[in-house]
Structures are given as structure tokens and as C-alpha cells.
Amino acid sequence: FRAVWNSAGPRQQLLKALADSYDDGLDPADYHLPLLRQLAVNVTAPDATDTLKAQYDILLTEALLRVGYHLSFGKVDPVTFDAQWNYGRTLPRTDVAGEIEDAIASATVYDRVVALKPTHRLYTRLKQELLRLREAEKKGGWGVLPAGPALKPGDRDARVQSLRSRLVRSGDFSDSPAGDPMLYDDALAAAVKLYQKRNGLDPDGVVGEGTVAELNVPVAERITQLRVNLDRGRVLLHDLPDQFIVVNIAGYTAYLVRGQDDE
């Protein structure tokens, strides 16, 4: 019946860890971050009651447990959307209360939370892409490519300017002065092929109906997709063997993943 979070250092470390969960596609509000920040002020007031201080202390621990669980096992239980789910992990036998007390006493709360995240490159690259797309969203997204006949390398079309702008805004093309702004030149075609390959399309450089549909997916929707896949990563990317195979059933594609190397 005594407070645990007595030192400012561990409390600040926890709040930083909760705020950083945003970079992992999580919502810091799920871990009471705004409320904890407000309570940090309220409990120092002269009229702060023992009950309020106790509630603050308990809420800090609850936030740590919740973010720790989500980073270790994912926020969404896969069984809720796939009744045939047959993959799972279990917690090692450990004294959770003792671990928390030790983390607070040694002021290593932040480092221990970070250590719960997947370290595989697939996860870190998803985080990098999430950051990139959030920056694009701050700049207003990337607009919509108008419908029309398929664009092929060498074509001249007013929509080429929109295509170039779209790829520049999403970071898929480095803009360069063009002699003819309406010409679908080789440099732009190369960027389109890379985009098509990255999105599971036939990398032929032809901007047809399917490619236009992919290009016109709003940045907010892409961000949501990344957040979903980051949570899947927290379910799947812990404790992996050095070598494994990923099968994209819908795309009829298999990938060999070997350590941190590209295959």
C-alpha cells in the first residue's frame, strides 16, 4: 500500500515510451498519456488527495503493462479476425511485478519498453515508411491522378504532369527539369516501374486502370494499412529463425528472408 512511482526519472521515461508508441503505429491515448500528463500536474497541487495520488500511481503501472503487452503480442488478437489462426507466443515464466519494480528502481523503464519491440528489419522498415507517409500527409497528401487512356512511355499527355507530381509528392520520383512537361519520358517510366513492382503490379511502365487505382489510394488509407501491418509485425516478427519463407498467397509469390539480408 505504498506508491511505487516515487521518482521523477522513471515517470518521465514511461511517458516518453508512451509518446514514442506513436512511431510504432499505436495510439498513445490508449495508454492514458494525456491523462497521465494532466495527473502529473494535479498530484503536485496542495489540495491533491491521497486517493488521487494512489490512482495516478496505479495508472502509471497499468499504462506500462498495456504498452508492454501490445509491443510484445500485438494490440489486436488475431483470433478475432481469423478463427483458424494457429500461431502464438507465450510469456516466459517471470516475475512481472518484480521486473516492474526493478525497472523503476534502476531507472531503465524506457530501455525495457524499447526492448519489447520487434527488431527485425521488416518491422523497422515499416516504421520508416510510416514516418515517410506521415510527412507526406502533413504536406497535403498526393492528390488524384485523372482518369483517361493508359499512359505508355513516349506518350505526350497533359496528365503526365499530374503523374510526375504524384510520384514526387510520395517520394517515389526525384523531380528534374523536363524539356517537355507533357512527355512520358524514360526517367518517369523507370519511377513508375519501381512503384508498380513495390505495389505488386506488373512493372511494365504502362499507367493503366490498375496502376491509376493504386496511385489514387489516399495517403491516410496507406497509413492505416501500415499501422495494421505493424501490429501484425508485433504478432509475427518476434523470435524468428534466421531464415524463413513468406508466402503471399494472393500474389502467388514466395519470399526467402535470410537474417537481415535482402533476398
Side-chain angles (χ1 to χ4, degrees):
F1 297 98
R2 290 179 296 176
V4 176
W5 298 85
N6 293 311
S7 300
R11 294 197 301 267
Q12 292 169 356
Q13 289 182 8
L14 175 59
L15 296 186
K16 184 177 187 304
L18 300 182
D20 285 359
S21 70
Y22 180 78
D23 298 332
D24 291 87
L26 294 168
D27 183 355
D30 287 339
Y31 314 109
H32 321 297
L33 182 58
L35 177 58
L36 287 170
R37 285 173 170 166
Q38 183 59 53
L39 286 174
V41 176
N42 294 347
V43 296
T44 62
D47 59 348
T49 65
D50 290 338
T51 298
L52 181 65
K53 293 176 182 178
Q55 290 173 337
Y56 175 52
D57 198 76
I58 292 170
L59 198 62
L60 286 165
T61 301
E62 201 278 341
L64 175 59
L65 286 168
R66 182 176 294 192
V67 74
Y69 186 91
H70 288 174
L71 291 174
S72 299
F73 297 99
K75 179 179 178 182
V76 179
D77 183 353
V79 176
T80 62
F81 57 80
D82 184 357
Q84 304 300 316
W85 188 263
N86 62 2
Y87 177 85
R89 297 172 58 242
T90 58
L91 278 171
R93 294 182 63 85
T94 186
D95 178 6
V96 176
E99 289 286 335
I100 292 174
E101 291 177 346
D102 184 62
I104 295 172
S106 60
T108 57
V109 173
Y110 181 81
D111 291 339
R112 297 200 190 195
V113 171
V114 171
L116 298 174
K117 301 178 183 183
T119 58
H120 198 276
R121 63 180 172 86
L122 295 177
Y123 188 81
T124 57
R125 287 184 180 180
L126 284 172
K127 287 182 63 174
Q128 292 168 358
E129 184 68 3
L130 177 62
L131 175 63
R132 188 178 74 84
L133 291 189
R134 280 174 167 167
E135 288 299 318
E137 185 178 44
K138 290 178 183 177
K139 296 176 182 178
W142 44 58
V144 175
L145 186 65
L151 290 172
K152 299 178 182 179
D155 285 351
R156 291 188 73 258
D157 191 298
R159 292 179 299 139
V160 170
Q161 298 181 73
S162 297
L163 174 62
R164 181 178 288 108
S165 174
R166 160 64 179 84
L167 293 175
V168 168
R169 291 176 72 86
S170 64
D172 292 291
F173 183 58
S174 179
D175 197 14
S176 58
D180 185 347
M182 292 194 297
L183 176 64
Y184 186 9
D185 58 24
D186 291 341
L188 184 57
V192 168
K193 290 177 181 179
L194 287 174
Y195 178 87
Q196 290 172 324
K197 183 177 181 180
R198 186 163 60 84
N199 286 275
L201 301 169
D202 183 16
D204 57 6
V206 177
V207 184
E209 185 176 334
T211 299
V212 170
E214 285 293 325
L215 287 166
N216 286 344
V217 173
V219 65
E221 185 173 335
R222 291 298 189 202
I223 288 172
T224 298
Q225 292 172 342
L226 277 172
R227 294 182 64 201
V228 169
N229 280 286
L230 278 164
D231 203 54
R232 290 173 176 169
R234 289 185 286 271
V235 174
L236 295 168
L237 297 179
H238 289 284
D239 308 324
L240 288 172
D242 184 64
Q243 181 173 298
F244 58 94
I245 293 174
V246 177
V247 179
N248 180 348
I249 297 175
Y252 299 95
T253 308
Y255 302 91
L256 171 62
V257 182
R258 181 178 295 157
Q260 299 296 314
D261 299 325
D262 290 317
E263 292 287 345

